[in-house]
PDB file of all heavy atoms in Angstrom:
ATOM      1  N   ALA A   3       3.867   1.548  -1.296  1.00 59.00           N
ATOM      2  CA  ALA A   3       4.446   1.717  -2.625  1.00 59.00           C
ATOM      3  C   ALA A   3       3.447   2.285  -3.600  1.00 59.00           C
ATOM      4  O   ALA A   3       3.755   3.156  -4.419  1.00 59.00           O
ATOM      5  CB  ALA A   3       4.960   0.355  -3.131  1.00 59.00           C
ATOM      6  N   ALA A  30      -2.319  26.745   7.986  1.00 41.00           N
ATOM      7  CA  ALA A  30      -2.158  26.504   6.533  1.00 41.00           C
ATOM      8  C   ALA A  30      -1.902  27.804   5.844  1.00 41.00           C
ATOM      9  O   ALA A  30      -2.581  28.807   6.113  1.00 41.00           O
ATOM     10  CB  ALA A  30      -3.399  25.797   6.011  1.00 41.00           C
ATOM     11  N   ARG A  35      -2.730  30.922  -6.996  1.00 50.00           N
ATOM     12  CA  ARG A  35      -2.540  30.093  -8.165  1.00 50.00           C
ATOM     13  C   ARG A  35      -2.578  30.963  -9.402  1.00 50.00           C
ATOM     14  O   ARG A  35      -3.541  31.676  -9.650  1.00 50.00           O
ATOM     15  CB  ARG A  35      -3.614  28.999  -8.233  1.00 50.00           C
ATOM     16  CG  ARG A  35      -3.632  28.096  -7.002  1.00 50.00           C
ATOM     17  CD  ARG A  35      -4.786  27.117  -7.040  1.00 50.00           C
ATOM     18  NE  ARG A  35      -4.652  26.165  -8.127  1.00 50.00           N
ATOM     19  CZ  ARG A  35      -3.964  25.021  -8.061  1.00 50.00           C
ATOM     20  NH1 ARG A  35      -3.314  24.738  -6.957  1.00 50.00           N
ATOM     21  NH2 ARG A  35      -3.923  24.196  -9.074  1.00 50.00           N
ATOM     22  N   ALA A  38       1.234  29.870 -15.848  1.00 86.00           N
ATOM     23  CA  ALA A  38       2.558  30.235 -16.324  1.00 86.00           C
ATOM     24  C   ALA A  38       2.459  31.325 -17.336  1.00 86.00           C
ATOM     25  O   ALA A  38       1.618  31.314 -18.212  1.00 86.00           O
ATOM     26  CB  ALA A  38       3.265  29.026 -16.902  1.00 86.00           C
ATOM     27  N   LYS A  64      28.567  63.495 -10.298  1.00 85.00           N
ATOM     28  CA  LYS A  64      29.047  64.604  -9.454  1.00 85.00           C
ATOM     29  C   LYS A  64      30.335  64.187  -8.786  1.00 85.00           C
ATOM     30  O   LYS A  64      30.360  63.184  -8.044  1.00 85.00           O
ATOM     31  CB  LYS A  64      28.017  64.980  -8.404  1.00 85.00           C
ATOM     32  CG  LYS A  64      28.455  66.102  -7.459  1.00 85.00           C
ATOM     33  CD  LYS A  64      27.448  66.327  -6.336  1.00 85.00           C
ATOM     34  CE  LYS A  64      27.940  67.386  -5.365  1.00 85.00           C
ATOM     35  NZ  LYS A  64      26.996  67.574  -4.242  1.00 85.00           N
ATOM     36  N   ILE A  92      43.311  85.279 -21.357  1.00 94.00           N
ATOM     37  CA  ILE A  92      43.332  84.033 -20.625  1.00 94.00           C
ATOM     38  C   ILE A  92      41.940  83.813 -20.057  1.00 94.00           C
ATOM     39  O   ILE A  92      41.579  84.411 -19.029  1.00 94.00           O
ATOM     40  CB  ILE A  92      44.372  84.030 -19.490  1.00 94.00           C
ATOM     41  CG1 ILE A  92      45.785  84.279 -20.051  1.00 94.00           C
ATOM     42  CG2 ILE A  92      44.347  82.700 -18.728  1.00 94.00           C
ATOM     43  CD1 ILE A  92      46.846  84.400 -18.984  1.00 94.00           C
ATOM     44  N   LEU A 113      53.904  77.014 -16.589  1.00 94.00           N
ATOM     45  CA  LEU A 113      54.350  76.869 -15.202  1.00 94.00           C
ATOM     46  C   LEU A 113      53.843  75.534 -14.656  1.00 94.00           C
ATOM     47  O   LEU A 113      52.845  74.994 -15.115  1.00 94.00           O
ATOM     48  CB  LEU A 113      53.887  78.043 -14.323  1.00 94.00           C
ATOM     49  CG  LEU A 113      52.425  78.068 -13.911  1.00 94.00           C
ATOM     50  CD1 LEU A 113      52.289  78.842 -12.626  1.00 94.00           C
ATOM     51  CD2 LEU A 113      51.560  78.651 -15.007  1.00 94.00           C
ATOM     52  N   TYR A 207      23.999  41.305 -19.193  1.00 88.00           N
ATOM     53  CA  TYR A 207      23.228  40.373 -18.363  1.00 88.00           C
ATOM     54  C   TYR A 207      23.824  38.987 -18.516  1.00 88.00           C
ATOM     55  O   TYR A 207      23.434  38.201 -19.359  1.00 88.00           O
ATOM     56  CB  TYR A 207      21.771  40.370 -18.803  1.00 88.00           C
ATOM     57  CG  TYR A 207      21.024  41.682 -18.567  1.00 88.00           C
ATOM     58  CD1 TYR A 207      21.014  42.653 -19.525  1.00 88.00           C
ATOM     59  CD2 TYR A 207      20.348  41.895 -17.390  1.00 88.00           C
ATOM     60  CE1 TYR A 207      20.355  43.862 -19.324  1.00 88.00           C
ATOM     61  CE2 TYR A 207      19.632  43.076 -17.157  1.00 88.00           C
ATOM     62  CZ  TYR A 207      19.667  44.052 -18.120  1.00 88.00           C
ATOM     63  OH  TYR A 207      18.981  45.252 -17.913  1.00 88.00           O
ATOM     64  N   GLU A 234      12.000  36.933 -23.349  1.00 92.00           N
ATOM     65  CA  GLU A 234      12.133  35.809 -24.278  1.00 92.00           C
ATOM     66  C   GLU A 234      11.011  34.820 -24.052  1.00 92.00           C
ATOM     67  O   GLU A 234      10.577  34.577 -22.944  1.00 92.00           O
ATOM     68  CB  GLU A 234      13.466  35.127 -24.099  1.00 92.00           C
ATOM     69  CG  GLU A 234      14.674  35.955 -24.489  1.00 92.00           C
ATOM     70  CD  GLU A 234      15.148  36.849 -23.353  1.00 92.00           C
ATOM     71  OE1 GLU A 234      14.561  36.747 -22.238  1.00 92.00           O
ATOM     72  OE2 GLU A 234      16.102  37.622 -23.564  1.00 92.00           O
ATOM     73  N   LEU A 249      17.388  16.512 -36.996  1.00 87.00           N
ATOM     74  CA  LEU A 249      17.476  15.376 -36.083  1.00 87.00           C
ATOM     75  C   LEU A 249      16.398  15.392 -35.026  1.00 87.00           C
ATOM     76  O   LEU A 249      16.213  14.403 -34.291  1.00 87.00           O
ATOM     77  CB  LEU A 249      18.857  15.354 -35.386  1.00 87.00           C
ATOM     78  CG  LEU A 249      20.079  15.320 -36.264  1.00 87.00           C
ATOM     79  CD1 LEU A 249      21.329  15.360 -35.405  1.00 87.00           C
ATOM     80  CD2 LEU A 249      20.076  14.095 -37.158  1.00 87.00           C
ATOM     81  N   VAL A 269       7.308  21.001 -15.301  1.00 89.00           N
ATOM     82  CA  VAL A 269       7.451  20.643 -16.734  1.00 89.00           C
ATOM     83  C   VAL A 269       6.277  21.252 -17.492  1.00 89.00           C
ATOM     84  O   VAL A 269       5.112  21.028 -17.144  1.00 89.00           O
ATOM     85  CB  VAL A 269       7.480  19.112 -16.918  1.00 89.00           C
ATOM     86  CG1 VAL A 269       7.550  18.757 -18.386  1.00 89.00           C
ATOM     87  CG2 VAL A 269       8.659  18.518 -16.167  1.00 89.00           C
ATOM     88  N   ASP A 292      15.531  28.211 -16.801  1.00 93.00           N
ATOM     89  CA  ASP A 292      14.713  27.304 -17.601  1.00 93.00           C
ATOM     90  C   ASP A 292      15.576  26.493 -18.557  1.00 93.00           C
ATOM     91  O   ASP A 292      16.620  26.951 -19.060  1.00 93.00           O
ATOM     92  CB  ASP A 292      13.697  28.088 -18.433  1.00 93.00           C
ATOM     93  CG  ASP A 292      12.482  28.506 -17.581  1.00 93.00           C
ATOM     94  OD1 ASP A 292      12.417  28.102 -16.423  1.00 93.00           O
ATOM     95  OD2 ASP A 292      11.613  29.238 -18.107  1.00 93.00           O
ATOM     96  N   ILE A 312      26.047  -1.411 -36.588  1.00 83.00           N
ATOM     97  CA  ILE A 312      26.543  -2.305 -37.647  1.00 83.00           C
ATOM     98  C   ILE A 312      27.754  -1.745 -38.371  1.00 83.00           C
ATOM     99  O   ILE A 312      28.379  -2.437 -39.181  1.00 83.00           O
ATOM    100  CB  ILE A 312      25.433  -2.607 -38.650  1.00 83.00           C
ATOM    101  CG1 ILE A 312      25.049  -1.338 -39.417  1.00 83.00           C
ATOM    102  CG2 ILE A 312      24.207  -3.200 -37.991  1.00 83.00           C
ATOM    103  CD1 ILE A 312      24.048  -1.564 -40.527  1.00 83.00           C
TER     104      ILE A 312
END
Side-chain angles (χ1 to χ4, degrees):
R35 300 175 67 85
K64 177 186 176 183
I92 301 177
L113 75 155
Y207 294 89
E234 295 86 3
L249 303 178
V269 177
D292 280 355
I312 66 175

